[in-house]
Amino acid sequence: KQQQMSDEILRSIGTSDIEIKKLKKKGDTHAKVLKLVIASGTTSFKGDESSLFIALAGMVPKKIGNGMAIKIAEMIGNRKFTGTNQIKEAATYLKKEKVTGEDVVDNVEAFEKATGVGIEVSNEEISKIIAEYMKDIDAQLAKGRPANKVGALFGKLSKNAGLKWADKKVTKTMFETALDNYWGEESEADLEAAKALKKKEKELAKKKKKEEAAKREKEKKSVRDTFETREMASAVNPPEVLEAHKKRTGGRILTRFPPEPNGFLHIGHAKAMNLSFGFAGEKGGDTYLRYDDTNPTKEEKKYFDAIVEMVEWLGFKPFKVTYSSDYFQDMYDLAEELIKKGLAYVDFSTKIEIKYQKEAKVNSPYRDTPVELNMRRFRDMKAGRYAEGECTLRCKIDMSHDNVNMRDFVAYRIMYVPHPRTADWCIYPTYDFTHCLCDSIEDITHSLCTLEFENRRESYYWLLEALNLYRPHVWEFSRLVVTTSLLSKRKINLLVKNGLVRDFDDPRLLTLAGLRRRGYTPESILNFCNDVGVSRKENITSVLRLEQSCRKDLDPKALRAFCVIKPIKITLSNYDAAVDGTSVTADNHPKDKSLGSRSLPLSNTVYISSRDFRLKDDKSYFGLAPNKAVGLRYGPVIFCDEVVTDESQQIVELKAHIVRDDENMEKPKGFIHWLSNDENGNAPATAEVRIYKCLFDYEKLGKSINEFLPNRDPEKLLKEVNSKSEIIHKNAFVDPLFADRKYREHYGHFQFERMGYFSVDPDTKVDDASSLVFNLTVSLKESK
């Protein structure tokens, strides 16, 4: 009832059903418009106020405070404001006068003057301005109707100062009439010429788009072919080191994907994998999957298992699966070699003291400890003779260096935590010590990582040069930052703990497990990564690009099916099995007949979605309404005769009849999805359908989906969560297609016609047809 009332209010100001639908998707704007219409104090509208109220709502509260918004709403109601240009001028005036919040203007007269209240531009004045304008553009108009775009011409005309307060609709009508008088009545030749021009413009746009795509692809390949970076003397391999490396590898390209097994992989990791595996594959090389397992306090078996599962799910096949811990002994021996060279020392400074030394560029008091003492102390560290945190091994580089990572970074720390793979260690190498050594030991040719590691490049090469080891080519690329995405393990845990998401595989998250559960395919994710490309420029990518990539991938291969959410029962009074049949045939894919068809039951009881019925009809609405016909997709045309309601006026049933040929009724504009009882009276199978929206209420925060990133503050983050990001429909009716077990397999993809792409959730018990659960993967593209 509330929804129907709000729709009626919006229709009273001239809002079309399509616009109402769009407004509802912008929940905050929808509520503002309703509030302002009610605040206007009138119910007698002319039906042309919709654009004014929507424009006003869009400026509240940033440009127009709540106090003045109410006043302006009243002025729309009493026809003092009749054009959106007045709303814009009002915002300009209020900004200049610093009228904000609940305040209202002191000088009403000045405000009304500034916003054109009471100013009327006569038709004679409009006509004169149009004539002058057409005289100025006579050379352009002389080219003929097909060569001119009326919309663009009117746009320039409307900027004329004399038309500032003129009624735009009147002005446009008069301008179009003047053009008709100039060119004469539109002829068949005009239509053909316009059609040809439009076709040519379309071809040129297509050609330009193709050229731009080719240019982007060339740039991507150029990046991959060169991976150009700033030159560093320490990065150059001595001839004998390079020769030995080539002998070991046979000149093969080798890359690596080195995740830490302390969390789940996400969309950013997909980009990194796509680059490392993709580049090596293009060059006939190989890629290691190397677990960077140097911190046993955070590593768990479930992460190791989940990582390899996602790597394989994306379709990548590692050349070898290795672990940093495979090289613990090698790295320990190299640490001793550094000590022997006087390039490492055991430091008893505390963590706070080391931080101070690095910031102040001062030496540790232990920096010049003799080599023999350092060696003994390091071996004592390994033997467990010091307490955890009592000392560290630091590389001896340059404490005055501009790069903080060159100020004697920590190479080893003590942790009395058993390693899950090699339990006999109590000292563990740091990332800075491990990363470059493992790359060198594995003969990695291209060490590709994200830009936050760029400042570690100098220490990377310093260590390899100091030990005269092979030096891989290092190249950093920008991280993949997708709007609305939350990738932090700590913050996801916070949402799980507060019951806001299920786990790391929640379909609303951009973890790879979450994307798979949502219904994204490996191809859609990798195509997205290729589309985004690789560069060193930091940027933010809209999640809408990811969604579009998914649509493009699923469209040709997702079988079509029907699903009816919130079903309304319809009894067909004249259904005759002998005439109408007990079933209809539906295509499994309208664009691919090779995917076959299916049989849909048809009886005297059918069900449609509640969204496809409305008590009050509208010319822009193509669904069912009283005394109106609609087509059932693949089935008959039906006509609604009666609406049956209960005591609370809720619709319980519709009574309709199948339209016969002798009724001479016009073909309906709308065809909707539906399901029916079978010939034995059995209702359709049911399923749980989960509809997903963005996890965060970005609109409430006044943000666009193309720019919104979740708050870094945990407390604020919790407040940003959209309480309606998951809507569960428990007893939706689903297509008989799912009676076949093979269509109930987890992660199967389907398009529920007129709804979106859906995937079978793992909560489904494959052998139990009554346990079906579907997740909305991505909605269908909005029709214009």
Side-chain angles (χ1 to χ4, degrees), residues 20 65 110-111 278 302 456 497 528 541 548 551 553 589 591 606 744 753 772:
I20 290 172
F111 174 71
K302 66 177 181 180
R456 286 178 154 91
K497 185 180 175 183
F528 167 70
T541 302
Q548 185 58 16
R551 285 189 192 96
D553 181 64
H589 198 301
K591 300 174 188 174
V606 297
R744 299 197 296 269
E753 294 200 34
L772 273 167

Side-chain angles (χ1 to χ4, degrees), residues 575 577 581-583 600-605 676-683:
Y575 167 78
T582 57
S583 66
L600 297 176
L602 176 64
S603 72
N604 67 334
T605 303
S676 170
N677 287 356
D678 64 20
E679 58 186 319
N680 297 317
N682 298 311

Side-chain angles (χ1 to χ4, degrees), residues 484-511:
T484 77
S485 64
L486 180 71
L487 307 177
S488 159
K489 176 188 170 184
R490 184 172 59 87
K491 288 174 185 173
I492 292 175
N493 272 332
L494 181 68
L495 297 185
V496 173
K497 185 180 175 183
N498 282 273
L500 297 170
V501 296
R502 287 178 167 81
D503 207 333
F504 273 79
D505 67 345
D506 190 285
R508 289 163 288 182
L509 299 172
L510 294 193
T511 57

Side-chain angles (χ1 to χ4, degrees), residues 378-408:
F378 185 53
R379 288 173 179 171
D380 284 345
M381 282 174 65
K382 183 177 181 289
R385 295 194 178 102
Y386 296 115
E388 194 168 303
E390 188 175 350
C391 56
T392 58
L393 180 74
R394 291 177 70 181
C395 289
K396 190 175 182 180
I397 312 176
D398 181 0
M399 287 301 289
S400 64
H401 202 286
D402 288 338
N403 186 337
V404 69
N405 289 294
M406 292 290 280
R407 297 176 205 158
D408 296 8

Side-chain angles (χ1 to χ4, degrees), residues 509-649:
L509 299 172
L510 294 193
T511 57
L512 293 182
L515 286 167
R516 178 175 67 171
R517 188 169 184 179
R518 180 80 175 248
Y520 279 77
T521 60
E523 295 82 3
S524 66
I525 293 169
L526 298 181
N527 288 341
F528 167 70
C529 292
N530 288 329
D531 179 49
V532 170
V534 179
S535 73
R536 289 174 55 82
K537 185 180 177 182
E538 294 281 11
N539 50 43
I540 296 173
T541 302
S542 171
V543 71
L544 297 181
R545 286 178 72 178
L546 176 62
E547 290 180 0
Q548 185 58 16
S549 176
C550 189
R551 285 189 192 96
K552 284 173 72 175
D553 181 64
L554 290 177
D555 180 54
K557 59 191 179 189
L559 293 188
R560 274 40 173 180
F562 285 170
C563 173
V564 177
I565 288 176
K566 296 183 181 176
I568 294 179
K569 178 184 175 183
I570 302 178
T571 301
L572 301 176
S573 59
N574 65 337
Y575 167 78
D576 184 342
V579 176
D580 304 302
T582 57
S583 66
V584 297
T585 300
D587 294 330
N588 285 339
H589 198 301
K591 300 174 188 174
D592 188 351
K593 300 299 180 184
S594 69
L595 293 173
S597 59
R598 64 195 188 282
S599 179
L600 297 176
L602 176 64
S603 72
N604 67 334
T605 303
V606 297
Y607 303 90
I608 66 169
S609 171
S610 59
R611 74 170 190 172
D612 285 325
F613 179 76
R614 182 180 292 168
L615 285 168
K616 189 173 180 181
D617 196 14
D618 182 276
K619 63 180 179 181
S620 62
Y621 172 66
F622 298 149
L624 189 63
N627 301 310
K628 181 182 179 183
V630 74
L632 301 182
R633 186 151 161 76
Y634 300 113
V637 172
I638 63 171
F639 186 90
C640 181
D641 299 304
E642 184 183 347
V643 180
V644 181
T645 58
D646 60 16
E647 293 175 358
S648 60
Q649 297 305 303

Side-chain angles (χ1 to χ4, degrees), residues 617-719:
D617 196 14
D618 182 276
K619 63 180 179 181
S620 62
Y621 172 66
F622 298 149
L624 189 63
N627 301 310
K628 181 182 179 183
V630 74
L632 301 182
R633 186 151 161 76
Y634 300 113
V637 172
I638 63 171
F639 186 90
C640 181
D641 299 304
E642 184 183 347
V643 180
V644 181
T645 58
D646 60 16
E647 293 175 358
S648 60
Q649 297 305 303
Q650 293 297 310
I651 297 169
V652 245
E653 182 186 357
L654 303 178
K655 292 188 177 180
H657 72 270
I658 294 173
V659 176
R660 305 298 183 193
D661 292 340
D662 59 7
E663 292 186 59
N664 294 321
M665 196 175 287
E666 272 188 37
K667 185 181 177 181
K669 291 182 179 178
F671 284 80
I672 62 177
H673 62 283
W674 56 282
L675 287 166
S676 170
N677 287 356
D678 64 20
E679 58 186 319
N680 297 317
N682 298 311
T686 59
E688 179 177 310
V689 177
R690 299 169 182 169
I691 304 296
Y692 289 106
K693 293 184 179 179
C694 180
L695 180 58
F696 300 99
D697 200 346
Y698 56 88
E699 287 181 342
K700 190 178 178 182
L701 299 162
K703 299 281 185 179
S704 156
I705 196 168
N706 294 318
E707 64 178 349
F708 176 79
L709 292 173
N711 207 300
R712 293 186 177 185
D713 184 316
E715 286 186 18
K716 290 180 181 177
L717 176 76
L718 292 176
K719 293 176 183 176

